Amino acid sequence: MLRRAFLFAAVGLSAAPVAGQGAWAAAPKGKEGDGKGDVGQYVELQPVGLPVVLDRKLVNYIFVRIRINLTNTANAARLREKEPFFRDALVRTAHRTPFTLPSDLAAIDVAKLSAALKRDAATIAGPGQILSIEVTSQAPRRRGLTPAA
């Protein structure tokens, strides 16, 4: 009987709010005005595997993380909902004309990818919404690949 009472007391105390906890939970993570709590004007794409093709043969995949920077007038919340459309456009373009660097099969041509995705993203988002495309990371599936001479 004593064990049951102790168990109910422990469960009751763990569910009870701690004094001041509500104020802490509502407080922003950073200080006011430092910008850490602000949501930026960008759309972060989920990692995408892009093909690396040499002589019409698939030789590698590069997994990239991409950030689409938006203009100040863009509706970031609405465009974040379109993230799957941006990824789809990127994958379709990369399979049509791969972003292969002729000198390095473990990296992609960032300038070519940025130009193609900016064009496709402007079609999806509408005119005047896309500022720039930034490749934040590249991770090849296989490293150390060099083109055959």
Side-chain angles (χ1 to χ4, degrees):
M1 189 71 170
L2 184 59
R3 188 174 2 176
R4 187 178 297 162
F6 179 71
L7 181 63
F8 284 128
V11 170
L13 286 175
S14 66
V18 177
Q21 181 181 6
W24 286 356
K29 300 277 187 216
K31 298 176 185 175
E32 290 183 12
D34 68 354
K36 291 183 182 176
D38 296 340
V39 176
Q41 287 290 97
Y42 60 87
V43 176
E44 193 80 36
L45 299 187
Q46 294 291 321
V48 178
L50 301 179
V52 175
V53 177
L54 182 66
D55 297 328
R56 298 181 57 125
K57 292 182 184 174
L58 178 68
V59 295
N60 201 3
Y61 276 100
I62 307 291
F63 295 91
V64 295
R65 289 184 174 267
I66 296 175
R67 175 180 282 182
I68 300 173
N69 295 312
L70 307 173
T71 60
N72 290 335
T73 60
N75 184 346
R78 184 182 64 81
L79 292 176
R80 282 192 186 98
E81 292 174 358
K82 294 188 177 197
E83 188 267 346
F85 296 102
F86 294 129
R87 271 188 295 127
D88 180 62
L90 176 62
V91 169
R92 287 175 187 265
T93 302
H95 280 83
R96 242 186 338 263
T97 55
F99 305 117
T100 304
L101 271 176
S103 60
D104 187 6
L105 299 178
I108 57 165
D109 187 349
V110 175
K112 189 175 175 183
L113 181 146
S114 297
L117 184 57
K118 188 172 183 179
R119 184 177 51 252
D120 291 340
T123 303
I124 294 167
Q129 304 291 309
I130 307 300
L131 185 63
S132 64
I133 305 295
E134 179 181 347
V135 177
T136 57
S137 72
Q138 298 184 42
R141 181 170 172 246
R142 296 189 323 197
R143 298 184 187 278
L145 293 176
T146 55

